[in-house]
Amino acid sequence: MSSSAPDPHPTSGEDRGLSRRRLVQGAAGGAAVGALAVGGSAWAMTDRGSTAGQSDQEADRDTVDLSQSHPFYGSGAQAGVFTPPQRHALFMTFTMVAGTTASDLQSLLARWSAAIAQLTQGKSIGAVEPTRAGAVAPDTGEAFNLDPASLTVTIGLGPSLFDDRFGLKDKRPALLTDLPDLPSDSLQPGLTGGDLSLQACADDPQVAYHAIRNLARMVRGTADTHWTVMGFGRASAGAGQYTPRNLMGFKDGTRNITEEADRTKFVTIADADQKWLEGGTYQVVRKIEMDIEIWDADPVSDQQHVFGRTKDEGAPLSGTKEFDTPDFHKAGAVNGLAIPATSHVALAAPENNGGVKILRRGYNYTDGINQYGQLDAGLLFIAYLNDPAHFITLQKKLGSSDRLNEYISHIGSGLFAVPPAPATGHYVGEALFA
Amino acid sequence: MSSSAPDPHPTSGEDRGLSRRRLVQGAAGGAAVGALAVGGSAWAMTDRGSTAGQSDQEADRDTVDLSQSHPFYGSGAQAGVFTPPQRHALFMTFTMVAGTTASDLQSLLARWSAAIAQLTQGKSIGAVEPTRAGAVAPDTGEAFNLDPASLTVTIGLGPSLFDDRFGLKDKRPALLTDLPDLPSDSLQPGLTGGDLSLQACADDPQVAYHAIRNLARMVRGTADTHWTVMGFGRASAGAGQYTPRNLMGFKDGTRNITEEADRTKFVTIADADQKWLEGGTYQVVRKIEMDIEIWDADPVSDQQHVFGRTKDEGAPLSGTKEFDTPDFHKAGAVNGLAIPATSHVALAAPENNGGVKILRRGYNYTDGINQYGQLDAGLLFIAYLNDPAHFITLQKKLGSSDRLNEYISHIGSGLFAVPPAPATGHYVGEALFA
């Protein structure tokens, strides 16, 4: 660039409440400086007056507004549980370093919480450029001046945390135990469990990566990274949003939990045996590898029988529109049924599982090319539920009968307790140490 | 979801010219159906009247408009060379299967071109849901109904393609040879070379992944996948856009080529020894691993000496603003200079390299966690230039003296010739077979 090139951002970020440019110290300060909280969709409406013929919903999905932010502090579930799924996710687990104490864990949770409160408001977690020469910067800087991008970071606590190490043995909820072996498991060593989990979701992958990277960095020496998955493309979504597709090309999330009543009934933990988890939830995470090249060789008519839905519209094979309620008794061509009994939708449906629903939050992932030269890809499946048994029951059934099993392998797995959001100035899991 | 839930998209996409919903057969048809071509920024302006105090540029970067598209056909360089960098990239190389012929290669290039022309306009490359029962779908479907998201797919031809296999020995441009060993090389087997390259860039990673996946799929049996990198976050950008940051937290792309005169002088091939490459360019690709955890332990004052710029503003250490022209003679604290002679900016500057410039198109990547438990991340460096010697000269210098070498390793590498864009109905590289 020549010397006459103008500076396009002569005062970039200097006066922006949401900027990462200036460090705002402390969590309370974070809440005071222009948090632009949104309760609804992460998708912004924009003026598309010239595009006649498009519905509002279509205009809606054409634009991503990166300026939105979600508050970290509050009551009820942590952000990232009920938050409308952002476009990118970075999930990472951690193991506490040998010899660390309850006090180290307490400090870790407090520091993570204060940092997440800053990050979700589009701020750095400390100066990018310290004034003292020779100082190491608290923040690595790559999200400097970027928008909040609807970032949420959700902290989970694994069953292994409640052993002898941190004096938490008596604080373990009865339901927080390692997931049992499940019929579909092809778990890889190194992709299971973890003392702690972080789920960072944002509409900008650089913002999500920056969050996880800096949270990992600030606890070096206390907690080691364990396993991670980076996801994209939102394979599930709530009501009023279009339904994203997984890498099998099918809509994923059509029947996801969207109603407040279902959240209360199936996601939020009430009357917990451990008070620190009251108002929280459980997080089930599965890294599900898909043999997409084999899948792609399957005729669409068969793919539709595997899912129990049409590929284009996503309608149940008993109906014509995506949101038609499946009729699992309707007569049809597969053993007398329109929706095959071994299809994914039939096996997973609340109607066929005593009404049980789980809140899914899925993202697609790719690991490039595998050792056989085939595309290595799949689904980062994250579910929130108030009883891990709901997942276990469903997965036992799916793992035994689901025709999808021919094309997928569950290679990673973890279960975590997700305490409720902390009140301003407090931290996630604080009640554990009361 | 209850049976009374409304269908939010009763006629979604049916009438949209840019929809992937309906197959538009053939390349010429693709050009006829409402291509919404944009020549400028991939970032849309939106009404942000309520956010007083923000500059236009800042509003500009808050919103990503996914409805934009770039034409594939044209004159001059292929789309993806001079196109303003989109937010995501998927780069993949391919090797022609043993025993394939010139006719196979010709067919591959023709089919890829026709498919890319469809994909960049937001269309499927064939029916997602074929009408004939038992048929395998031409398109895998996961980008069905998604916006074009500014997708570009750029085809490159490696030196190895010009051997005895395809009768192209006499068509090899003299400058198209394997890159020599370079002082910084730590190349990994399996991450170098390739007969063909595809660079897919889009503002939606699902759109970029879908493109590469389907292009790989349609040539199975003719070309095998070789190596791939998925990038995010735009580590370089042109004028009028903010300058993105690499994972070292520094702005990357401040002095990138933006002027038409520089494009003509340094990027576009004129008077080519091989006429089929006239108006094309060369593509250098490097996968550069960054030891970001070691980097993060370095004081910012030292990091600034390594880059020769400030971290926050991105100003050369001889100035105060990002776009100030570096003064490499200005007196200062490091061996008498403000900008250290071994800093990255000093070593790479046109002023210190006979005026040479290269067009960079960089993306950040992450491969998760490495075998040592450290974050595995870096830069997907893609450069376009009309003489590979320009890169070789620069990299010989950088690989020998650059203080960055303490923190980075070049682990992947490739050089490809990028023929010009085809005229409507023609295909990339067609002139090779004339």
Side-chain angles (χ1 to χ4, degrees), chain A residues 13 62 66 147 213 225 247 373, chain B residues 58 62 129 147 213 225 247 373:
Chain A
D62 281 341
L66 298 173
D147 278 316
R213 173 186 182 181
T225 56
L247 291 181
Chain B
E58 288 177 332
D62 280 342
E129 202 176 290
D147 278 316
R213 173 187 181 180
T225 56
L247 291 181

Side-chain angles (χ1 to χ4, degrees), chain A residues 138-433:
Chain A
D139 191 289
T140 59
E142 76 270 23
F144 203 38
N145 273 356
L146 293 187
D147 278 316
S150 294
L151 175 69
T152 56
V153 185
T154 311
I155 301 176
L157 312 176
S160 56
L161 202 62
F162 298 84
D163 59 10
D164 290 329
R165 291 174 293 168
F166 310 106
L168 296 177
K169 226 168 177 173
D170 296 339
K171 299 290 178 72
R172 186 179 62 76
L175 301 179
L176 185 64
T177 56
D178 284 333
L179 291 173
D181 292 343
L182 291 166
S184 58
D185 284 358
S186 306
L187 303 183
Q188 294 181 359
L191 289 183
T192 59
D195 290 334
L196 301 158
S197 74
L198 290 176
Q199 169 201 278
C201 297
D203 285 327
D204 183 334
Q206 184 125 338
V207 168
Y209 189 75
H210 170 262
I212 293 290
R213 173 186 182 181
N214 280 272
L215 294 170
R217 178 178 182 238
M218 69 194 292
V219 300
R220 272 286 178 217
T222 303
D224 287 337
T225 56
H226 185 30
W227 60 283
T228 188
V229 185
M230 188 172 195
F232 64 91
R234 295 196 314 158
S236 66
Q241 301 191 324
Y242 79 101
T243 310
R245 293 177 185 273
N246 59 31
L247 291 181
M248 291 179 153
F250 278 76
K251 292 181 181 176
D252 192 337
T254 300
R255 303 192 88 201
N256 210 351
I257 285 179
T258 56
E259 309 284 338
E260 189 57 40
D262 283 342
R263 294 178 172 189
T264 303
K265 191 168 176 188
F266 297 110
V267 183
T268 303
I269 295 172
D271 297 320
D273 58 337
Q274 294 286 350
K275 281 301 159 201
W276 62 267
L277 193 51
E278 185 74 17
T281 183
Y282 291 103
Q283 176 190 61
V284 169
V285 183
R286 308 283 280 187
K287 184 176 183 181
I288 305 175
E289 189 180 84
M290 294 173 166
D291 295 327
I292 58 174
E293 297 208 28
I294 297 171
W295 175 255
D296 287 346
D298 193 43
V300 174
S301 50
D302 191 66
Q303 290 181 347
Q304 295 189 151
H305 287 157
V306 171
F307 270 99
R309 291 184 175 276
T310 62
K311 196 162 187 179
D312 174 340
E313 168 66 23
L317 295 181
S318 60
T320 58
K321 292 290 182 187
E322 179 186 357
F323 292 101
D324 287 348
T325 300
D327 177 356
F328 298 109
H329 304 293
K330 185 170 176 177
V334 184
N335 293 328
L337 291 173
I339 302 177
T342 54
S343 67
H344 189 70
V345 69
L347 291 167
E351 291 87 340
N352 303 328
N353 289 284
V356 162
K357 301 179 183 181
I358 57 178
L359 175 62
R360 283 161 293 144
R361 190 180 188 88
Y363 289 90
N364 302 322
Y365 78 81
T366 174
D367 283 341
I369 299 168
N370 69 18
Q371 57 184 320
Y372 309 109
Q374 295 207 311
L375 302 183
D376 192 349
L379 183 71
L380 167 61
F381 171 96
I382 303 177
Y384 290 101
L385 63 185
N386 56 19
D387 186 347
H390 294 168
F391 170 78
I392 294 166
T393 303
L394 276 176
Q395 193 51 36
K396 276 186 177 164
K397 196 167 159 186
L398 290 169
S400 306
S401 311
D402 194 352
R403 286 199 51 208
L404 262 181
N405 291 325
E406 196 178 331
Y407 305 98
I408 64 176
S409 310
H410 287 238
I411 60 173
S413 178
L415 173 68
F416 301 88
V418 178
T424 303
H426 291 263
Y427 64 90
V428 169
E430 188 172 337
L432 265 174
F433 306 95

